[in-house]
Each structure stands twice: as C-alpha cells, then as structure tokens.
Amino acid sequence: MRIYGITGTNGKTTTTWILREFLGGGGLVTTVEVDTGTRRFSSGYTTPPLKALKEIFAEMEANGLRDCVMEVSSHAIHQRRTGDTVFAGCGFTNLTEDHLDYHKTMEAYFEAKSLLFTRLAASNPGAPAAICVDGPYGRRLFEMCRALPLRTIPCGFDAPPPFNASFFDPADCPLVGRYNVQNVLLAAALAHGAGVPLDAIRAKIPTLTPRWGRLERVSTQSAAEVFVDYAHTDDALANVLSTVKAFAKGKVWAVFGAGGDRDRAKRPLMGAAAARCADRLVVTSDNPRSEDPASIIAQIVAGIPAGTDVQVEPDRRRAIFLALGQAAPGDVVVVCGKGHETTQTIGDQVVHFDDRETCAAYAPGA
C-alpha cells in the first residue's frame, strides 16, 4: 500500500481528501475521520499514535486498498508516531503561527515539519515531495528538499508551471478562495508525482465540493448567508474572511474564539486578523478547556484595534444567535474555529456542540 503524507499548519485536511479524489480512492487518515474502506470513524487525533496507526494500515490492506492519504501533524513527526512507515510521497501546505505551546519557537516548529522530508529522502530516495512555495517557510523547505534525493515539485501562485495559477480556472472549482487554489495545486502536484495524468486531475476539479466544516454553507433563518469554517489561526482567519469579503454584498461578520490550554501567542494575532478582514466581530468561547473563557477572550481583544465593531459574548450559542439575528440581508456570517467538531470542552466537561446544528437551530427572536 502506498502511503502519502500531508503536513503544514493549515489546509492539511482539505488537501488530503482532494489528493485521495485525484488518486481515485483509497484510505484516509485525517483530523475529521479515518476511512479504512469498510469503516469510517474518528480517531480523536490528526495523526493517531503508532499502535493505532499500524492497526488502521493493516485494516486498509486487508480491505484491498492500494493507496492511503494521511495528515501528519508536527506533534506526530516530533514524536515519531508514524514509526518506520515508508511514505510514497509527501506534501507541504504552509507554516504559520500555531502550536508554539509545544514547539516553543517557529524555528523548532519548522524543523519538526522538515523532518518528514528528510526521513522521506532517507527511506524512499526519488519519492515525490510537493511543496507550496508561496510563503517563506515553503520556499526554504523547497530549497532544502532540492538538495535531498527527492523529486521536489513546486506548486502555488509563486511556482513555475504546471502547478501554478495557470493550471486550472478557479471558476471551475466549487472550493473558493486563494487558499483552496493552493490546496488543489498541492494535491495535484503530489498526485501527478504519483503517476496520475494531468488531464485526469483537471477533470476531477469541478467535482470538489466543500465539506467537513471548511467554508461549509449552512441553511438558516437568518437574513444573512451563513458559513461554518475550521479557521483557528490568524492566517486561516485572514484567508477565509478575505475570501468571503470578495463575494459578500454586505458586511462580513466573524464569530470566533480561541482554544484554551493551547498556544496563547496566537490569540491577539487572531483578533488583529479578524479585525483586518471582517467588518463586525463577535468574540466568544471556543474550547476553553481548563482556562477561564474571559481571560482567553481578553487576550484576543487585546489584538483588536480601537474603534473596531466588536461584541463579546462568552456563551458560544448566544454569540452565534447574536450575529445571525443582527446581520442584515446581503451580509455574510462566518462562524469560525470548530468546523467539523461536534463537542465543546469546558473545564473537565465535554458537551455536545456543533456549530452547524446551532446555526440551523436559530430562529428570529431567539
């Protein structure tokens, strides 16, 4: 079975399932679900621990799958959760502020990501390594990989043909936004490196529809259009809100928070990014875990410039209803941070909470 790994701060889940589509099927290991060919379930991890991962691979092989595409987190790389797995190829999306509670510095974070590719070169010389070169860390990793015995393939808006903006017409792809173009290009580059013809890849692009809480439209009784998105870093917020801004006829609303017991440094950056890219902000709780929600919110608000139209509502359900109730026709409300998640962790309690269900349950006057 050929196993392909995708790493990066943002876009891993989307790129992983796009790559599987381009490959024509196979197993899947993502933050959202594991698909072994006969079972679909959540492992509770982006990359499961090694024992569980080996059992998943064994089940996929027993089901006759020839390919598997998986997300490989920086934690998993650093902890060697993939063990002695020999990847058939790997891809890199981007690197932005996140997980510094674990890695401490961006340099250490980058080094963890780059290990996936040095190990790929050592275990499978000549394997394809697709790198999005649109950011400084992508360009740095590309140069590093070019010096290794890998078939390094650049992709992204700053890449040479074929895997740049000329590869396909974004109007033909249901996945909107610059960041989704990058996700498609990375998946296309790695699929082609795996032997899939370019024409077959292009033919699949119009069938790629939003899923798993990645800019997923929700039908509601609000006067506004409503989307749910997993964006939980400043870069991801900027990407999704800028994308919405480009098609919104009215104001763009961002409902968001930040997770507790995680990287605190990104919280004011998230506030600044949302203020820069949306018109109206509602700051609320995400998964506060053991932290005081008010303290997390205060750190987000610290990054929001004075004069910004911002409201604070710690109760996430009330915050969502507040935005949906105040938004006008033509406005777009984006509920950010949890995406596909169906629970909220508050203290030591894990309660059912699905942003999509909450939006759909909104009724005027609620």
Side-chain angles (χ1 to χ4, degrees), residues 134-257:
D134 288 342
Y137 289 105
R139 290 189 289 272
R140 181 177 167 188
L141 183 62
F142 175 73
E143 292 301 325
M144 188 195 85
C145 288
R146 285 211 300 180
L148 297 172
L150 292 171
R151 189 152 39 100
T152 307
I153 309 167
C155 59
F157 289 91
D158 296 336
F163 301 109
N164 59 17
S166 65
F167 183 70
F168 71 100
D169 184 348
D172 294 335
C173 182
L175 302 174
V176 299
R178 178 184 174 91
Y179 64 101
N180 271 322
V181 172
Q182 293 168 321
N183 293 337
V184 171
L185 291 173
L186 177 57
L190 193 49
H192 188 58
V196 182
L198 294 180
D199 287 346
I201 293 171
R202 289 192 180 99
K204 198 71 178 175
I205 290 173
T207 70
L208 303 174
T209 55
R211 62 194 299 189
W212 290 342
R214 271 62 178 177
L215 203 55
E216 184 176 343
R217 187 189 301 270
V218 181
S219 178
T220 76
Q221 294 187 56
S222 173
E225 280 191 280
V226 181
F227 294 86
V228 167
D229 193 84
Y230 189 54
H232 59 282
T233 68
D234 59 304
D235 183 65
L237 278 171
N239 283 333
V240 71
L241 295 173
S242 296
T243 295
V244 171
K245 190 83 168 174
F247 65 75
K249 296 180 176 64
K251 303 291 186 183
V252 174
W253 293 68
V255 182
F256 71 105

Side-chain angles (χ1 to χ4, degrees), residues 229-233 237 255-260 262 266-267 270 283-289 293 296-297 300 313-317 335-339 341 343-346 351 353 355:
D229 193 84
Y230 189 54
H232 59 282
T233 68
L237 278 171
V255 182
F256 71 105
R262 300 292 187 270
K266 72 178 181 180
R267 294 171 186 174
M270 291 173 66
V283 184
T284 187
S285 295
D286 191 297
N287 291 310
R289 301 185 176 90
I296 298 172
I297 289 171
I300 295 170
E313 173 48 72
D315 184 287
R316 191 171 181 90
R317 182 182 181 88
V335 181
C336 301
K338 292 174 63 60
E341 294 178 357
T343 62
Q344 186 177 30
T345 305
I346 304 170
V351 298
F353 197 100
D355 283 349

Side-chain angles (χ1 to χ4, degrees), residues 95-98 100 104-111 137:
L95 193 77
T96 61
E97 174 88 27
D98 203 9
L100 297 193
K104 308 304 180 188
T105 67
M106 287 298 291
E107 185 63 23
Y109 187 20
F110 173 77
E111 288 175 0
Y137 289 105

